[in-house]
Amino acid sequence: MTALDARPDTSTVLRFPQGFRWGTATAAYQIEGAAAEDGRTPSVWDTFSRTPGKVRNGDTGDIAADHYHRLDEDIALMRRLGVTDYRFSIAWPRVVPTGSGPVNAKGLDFYRRLVDGLLEAGIRPVATLYHWDLPQELEDAGGWTERETAYRFAEYAGVMADALGDRVATWTTLNEPWCAAFLGYGNGVHAPGRTDALASLRAAHHLNLAHGLAARVLRGALPSSAEVSLTLNLHAVRALSDSPEDRDAARRIDAVGNRIFLDPVFHGRLPEDLVRDTAGITDWSFVEDGDLATAAAPIDSLGINYYSPAVVAAGASESPSPWAGAERHVRFEPAPGPRTAMDWPVDANGLYELLVRLRDELPDVPLVVTENGAAYDDYADPSGNVKDPERVDYLHAHLAAVHRALADGADVRGYFLWSLLDNFEWAYGYSKRFGIVHVDFATQRRTLKDSARWYAEVIARGGLAASRA
C-alpha cells in the first residue's frame, strides 16, 4: 500500500484523501445462488438452512440474488455507481468441492469471469477467501474444531492464488472469524449450529491458525504488489457504568470478542485474561508449539466490520451464549438511540472509537472499513422508486465518523458499504434488506435505492456534506 495524504480537508464538504478506496461488498452464499450447479457441493450453510427452524421462513441460498447468472448486470450496476473497489467472497465448495483435493474448473471459471469483468469496468477486485461457507465434508470431519481444517484452508488459498493472483489486488483470508467460531459453534445461531463453548474456542484458535497459514501461502504465490489482509468484526464495547463490576464485564467481552484475534494475529500471543476467564472450559492444550507465531504472519491491512456498539454490565447472559468464559458474568443492555430493522442501535461513535483505538494499538497497520451498513424495511413504491432516507442518514453519520478518525490520525485507506444487493441475510433469510440495490426476489429485478444514488454522489465528489438536513 502507498500512504495516503495525512489529513483530509475539513471544509463544509468532508473530503476524503486522494486515493481513498470507495467500495461495496457482498458474500458468496448470500448472493450467488446456483447452489448445486457446475460442480458446487453443499456448504455448512446449505445444510443449516435446510434444517427446520434454523432460518426464518425456511429460506435457503439456493437462488439468493442469482448473481451467478446475473454477473454482467451486477458489474454494470457497480460501474454506474462509480465504486473503485468491489469486495466479494469466493465459495470454497464451488472451487474445491470436497474441501481438499480436486479443483473444480467450472467454479474457478466463474471467478475468473467476475474478476475479468471487474477489471474491464475499471473496478479493483478485493477477494475474501472465507465468508463462512465451509464445505460440508470438512464439517463432517470436525470442521473448525479440528486443526486439519486450517491446513485444508491453506491449500485452498494456494489454489486461488495460482488462479487469480495476477489479477486480484487484495486478498482477505477470513471474514469475521468471531462469527464463524462463536455464532457457529458457541450458541448455534449460525452454521453449523453447534452449541459447545469448548468447540467455539477451538474453532477460534484454528481460524487464527488458518489465517496465518494462508497468509504465508499467499505471500509466497502472489506478486509483491498484492495485499494480504484479514477482516474482523471488532466489538465497540462500553460498560453500562463506571463500577468495577461493569468495567470487568466490558473487559471480558473485549477479551473473547476482540483480543482473542488481535493478540495472536498482531502479537503472537493469547490474552492472559482470556486464558484465566476460560480456565473452567479449557486449558488451551490444543494450541501447539509454533501456532501463535504462525498466526502472526505479517499482513498489509486490517479490515474492520462495524454496525453497532455493545453495552454490557455485570450479570449473566442467556444460554446458550456465544461469550465463552463470560456468559455467567456479563449481560447485554440496550443501547440508546434509533434502531435499524435488525433492532441494532445506530451509533456512529462506535466506529470512530474502534478506528482510533487501532490507531493507538496498531500504529503501523493500515485500516479499511470493510463492512458498514444498515437494514431497513424499504420497498419499491408504485412508481418503482425505493426511498430509504434512514439508510442515507446512517451512512452519512458513519462516513462522517470515518472522516473524523482520519482527521485524528487514523490510517484509514477505504470504506466498503454493506451491501451492494439485498440478499440472503443468514438466519434471517430474506426478511432483512441491507442492500443499496433493491432486489425483487420473485423476479430478480434490480432497482437502485435512493441510498445508491447518494453513495454515487459521495464517490464522485470524494466526500460528503458536513451535515445532513
Side-chain angles (χ1 to χ4, degrees), residues 155-177:
E155 291 173 359
Y156 154 61
V159 168
M160 295 312 306
D162 289 344
L164 296 174
D166 60 334
R167 283 164 283 175
V168 173
T170 297
W171 292 84
T172 301
T173 55
L174 307 173
N175 176 78
E176 298 187 355

CSV table of all heavy atoms in Angstrom, one decimal, residues 155-177:
chain,number,residue,atom,x,y,z
A,155,GLU,N,-4.4,-24.8,1.7
A,155,GLU,CA,-4.3,-25.4,0.3
A,155,GLU,C,-5.2,-24.7,-0.6
A,155,GLU,O,-4.9,-24.4,-1.8
A,155,GLU,CB,-4.7,-26.9,0.4
A,155,GLU,CG,-3.7,-27.8,1.1
A,155,GLU,CD,-4.2,-29.2,1.3
A,155,GLU,OE1,-5.3,-29.5,0.8
A,155,GLU,OE2,-3.5,-30.1,1.9
A,156,TYR,N,-6.4,-24.5,-0.1
A,156,TYR,CA,-7.4,-23.7,-0.9
A,156,TYR,C,-6.9,-22.3,-1.3
A,156,TYR,O,-7.1,-21.8,-2.4
A,156,TYR,CB,-8.7,-23.7,-0.2
A,156,TYR,CG,-9.7,-22.6,-0.5
A,156,TYR,CD1,-10.3,-22.4,-1.7
A,156,TYR,CD2,-10.1,-21.8,0.6
A,156,TYR,CE1,-11.2,-21.4,-1.9
A,156,TYR,CE2,-11.0,-20.8,0.4
A,156,TYR,CZ,-11.6,-20.6,-0.9
A,156,TYR,OH,-12.5,-19.6,-1.1
A,157,ALA,N,-6.3,-21.7,-0.3
A,157,ALA,CA,-5.7,-20.3,-0.6
A,157,ALA,C,-4.7,-20.4,-1.7
A,157,ALA,O,-4.7,-19.5,-2.6
A,157,ALA,CB,-5.1,-19.8,0.7
A,158,GLY,N,-3.9,-21.5,-1.7
A,158,GLY,CA,-2.9,-21.6,-2.8
A,158,GLY,C,-3.6,-21.8,-4.2
A,158,GLY,O,-3.1,-21.3,-5.2
A,159,VAL,N,-4.7,-22.6,-4.2
A,159,VAL,CA,-5.4,-22.8,-5.4
A,159,VAL,C,-5.9,-21.4,-6.0
A,159,VAL,O,-5.7,-21.1,-7.2
A,159,VAL,CB,-6.6,-23.7,-5.2
A,159,VAL,CG1,-7.6,-23.7,-6.4
A,159,VAL,CG2,-6.2,-25.1,-4.9
A,160,MET,N,-6.5,-20.6,-5.1
A,160,MET,CA,-7.0,-19.3,-5.6
A,160,MET,C,-5.9,-18.4,-6.0
A,160,MET,O,-6.0,-17.6,-7.0
A,160,MET,CB,-7.9,-18.7,-4.6
A,160,MET,CG,-9.1,-19.5,-4.3
A,160,MET,SD,-10.1,-20.0,-5.7
A,160,MET,CE,-10.3,-18.5,-6.6
A,161,ALA,N,-4.8,-18.4,-5.3
A,161,ALA,CA,-3.7,-17.5,-5.6
A,161,ALA,C,-3.1,-17.9,-7.0
A,161,ALA,O,-2.7,-17.0,-7.8
A,161,ALA,CB,-2.6,-17.6,-4.6
A,162,ASP,N,-3.0,-19.2,-7.3
A,162,ASP,CA,-2.5,-19.6,-8.5
A,162,ASP,C,-3.4,-19.2,-9.7
A,162,ASP,O,-3.0,-18.9,-10.8
A,162,ASP,CB,-2.3,-21.1,-8.5
A,162,ASP,CG,-1.1,-21.6,-7.7
A,162,ASP,OD1,-0.3,-20.8,-7.3
A,162,ASP,OD2,-1.1,-22.8,-7.3
A,163,ALA,N,-4.7,-19.3,-9.4
A,163,ALA,CA,-5.7,-19.0,-10.4
A,163,ALA,C,-5.9,-17.5,-10.7
A,163,ALA,O,-6.1,-17.1,-11.9
A,163,ALA,CB,-7.1,-19.6,-10.1
A,164,LEU,N,-5.9,-16.7,-9.7
A,164,LEU,CA,-6.2,-15.3,-9.8
A,164,LEU,C,-5.2,-14.3,-9.3
A,164,LEU,O,-5.5,-13.1,-9.2
A,164,LEU,CB,-7.6,-15.0,-9.1
A,164,LEU,CG,-8.8,-15.7,-9.7
A,164,LEU,CD1,-10.0,-15.5,-8.9
A,164,LEU,CD2,-9.1,-15.3,-11.2
A,165,GLY,N,-4.1,-14.8,-8.8
A,165,GLY,CA,-3.1,-13.9,-8.2
A,165,GLY,C,-2.6,-12.8,-9.0
A,165,GLY,O,-2.1,-11.8,-8.5
A,166,ASP,N,-2.6,-13.0,-10.3
A,166,ASP,CA,-2.1,-11.9,-11.2
A,166,ASP,C,-3.1,-10.8,-11.5
A,166,ASP,O,-2.8,-9.8,-12.1
A,166,ASP,CB,-1.7,-12.5,-12.6
A,166,ASP,CG,-2.8,-13.2,-13.3
A,166,ASP,OD1,-3.8,-13.7,-12.6
A,166,ASP,OD2,-2.8,-13.3,-14.5
A,167,ARG,N,-4.4,-11.0,-11.0
A,167,ARG,CA,-5.4,-10.0,-11.3
A,167,ARG,C,-6.1,-9.4,-10.1
A,167,ARG,O,-6.8,-8.4,-10.2
A,167,ARG,CB,-6.5,-10.7,-12.2
A,167,ARG,CG,-6.0,-10.8,-13.6
A,167,ARG,CD,-6.9,-11.7,-14.4
A,167,ARG,NE,-6.5,-13.1,-14.1
A,167,ARG,CZ,-7.2,-14.2,-14.5
A,167,ARG,NH1,-8.2,-14.0,-15.3
A,167,ARG,NH2,-6.8,-15.4,-14.2
A,168,VAL,N,-6.0,-10.1,-8.9
A,168,VAL,CA,-6.7,-9.6,-7.7
A,168,VAL,C,-5.7,-8.8,-6.9
A,168,VAL,O,-4.7,-9.3,-6.5
A,168,VAL,CB,-7.3,-10.8,-6.9
A,168,VAL,CG1,-7.9,-10.3,-5.6
A,168,VAL,CG2,-8.4,-11.5,-7.7
A,169,ALA,N,-6.2,-7.6,-6.5
A,169,ALA,CA,-5.3,-6.6,-5.9
A,169,ALA,C,-5.1,-6.9,-4.4
A,169,ALA,O,-4.0,-6.8,-3.8
A,169,ALA,CB,-5.8,-5.2,-6.1
A,170,THR,N,-6.2,-7.3,-3.7
A,170,THR,CA,-6.2,-7.6,-2.3
A,170,THR,C,-6.8,-8.9,-2.0
A,170,THR,O,-7.9,-9.2,-2.5
A,170,THR,CB,-7.0,-6.5,-1.6
A,170,THR,OG1,-6.3,-5.2,-1.8
A,170,THR,CG2,-7.0,-6.7,-0.1
A,171,TRP,N,-6.2,-9.7,-1.1
A,171,TRP,CA,-6.7,-11.0,-0.7
A,171,TRP,C,-6.9,-10.9,0.8
A,171,TRP,O,-6.0,-10.7,1.6
A,171,TRP,CB,-5.7,-12.1,-1.0
A,171,TRP,CG,-5.5,-12.3,-2.5
A,171,TRP,CD1,-4.7,-11.6,-3.3
A,171,TRP,CD2,-6.2,-13.3,-3.3
A,171,TRP,NE1,-4.8,-12.1,-4.6
A,171,TRP,CE2,-5.7,-13.1,-4.6
A,171,TRP,CE3,-7.1,-14.3,-3.0
A,171,TRP,CZ2,-6.2,-13.9,-5.6
A,171,TRP,CZ3,-7.5,-15.1,-4.0
A,171,TRP,CH2,-7.1,-14.9,-5.3
A,172,THR,N,-8.2,-11.2,1.2
A,172,THR,CA,-8.5,-11.2,2.6
A,172,THR,C,-8.7,-12.7,3.0
A,172,THR,O,-9.5,-13.4,2.3
A,172,THR,CB,-9.8,-10.5,2.9
A,172,THR,OG1,-9.7,-9.1,2.5
A,172,THR,CG2,-10.2,-10.6,4.4
A,173,THR,N,-8.0,-13.2,4.0
A,173,THR,CA,-8.1,-14.6,4.3
A,173,THR,C,-9.5,-14.9,4.9
A,173,THR,O,-10.2,-15.8,4.3
A,173,THR,CB,-7.0,-14.9,5.4
A,173,THR,OG1,-7.1,-14.0,6.5
A,173,THR,CG2,-5.6,-14.8,4.8
A,174,LEU,N,-9.9,-14.3,6.0
A,174,LEU,CA,-11.1,-14.6,6.7
A,174,LEU,C,-12.0,-13.4,6.9
A,174,LEU,O,-11.5,-12.3,7.1
A,174,LEU,CB,-10.8,-15.2,8.1
A,174,LEU,CG,-9.8,-16.3,8.2
A,174,LEU,CD1,-9.6,-16.6,9.7
A,174,LEU,CD2,-10.4,-17.6,7.5
A,175,ASN,N,-13.3,-13.6,6.8
A,175,ASN,CA,-14.2,-12.5,7.2
A,175,ASN,C,-14.8,-12.9,8.5
A,175,ASN,O,-15.4,-14.0,8.7
A,175,ASN,CB,-15.3,-12.4,6.2
A,175,ASN,CG,-16.4,-11.4,6.6
A,175,ASN,OD1,-16.2,-10.2,6.5
A,175,ASN,ND2,-17.5,-11.9,7.1
A,176,GLU,N,-14.7,-12.0,9.5
A,176,GLU,CA,-15.4,-12.2,10.8
A,176,GLU,C,-15.2,-13.6,11.4
A,176,GLU,O,-16.2,-14.3,11.6
A,176,GLU,CB,-16.9,-11.8,10.7
A,176,GLU,CG,-17.1,-10.4,10.3
A,176,GLU,CD,-18.6,-9.9,10.3
A,176,GLU,OE1,-19.4,-10.8,10.6
A,176,GLU,OE2,-18.8,-8.7,10.1
A,177,PRO,N,-14.0,-14.0,11.7
A,177,PRO,CA,-13.9,-15.3,12.3
A,177,PRO,C,-14.6,-15.4,13.7
A,177,PRO,O,-14.9,-16.5,14.1
A,177,PRO,CB,-12.3,-15.4,12.5
A,177,PRO,CG,-11.8,-14.0,12.4
A,177,PRO,CD,-12.7,-13.3,11.5
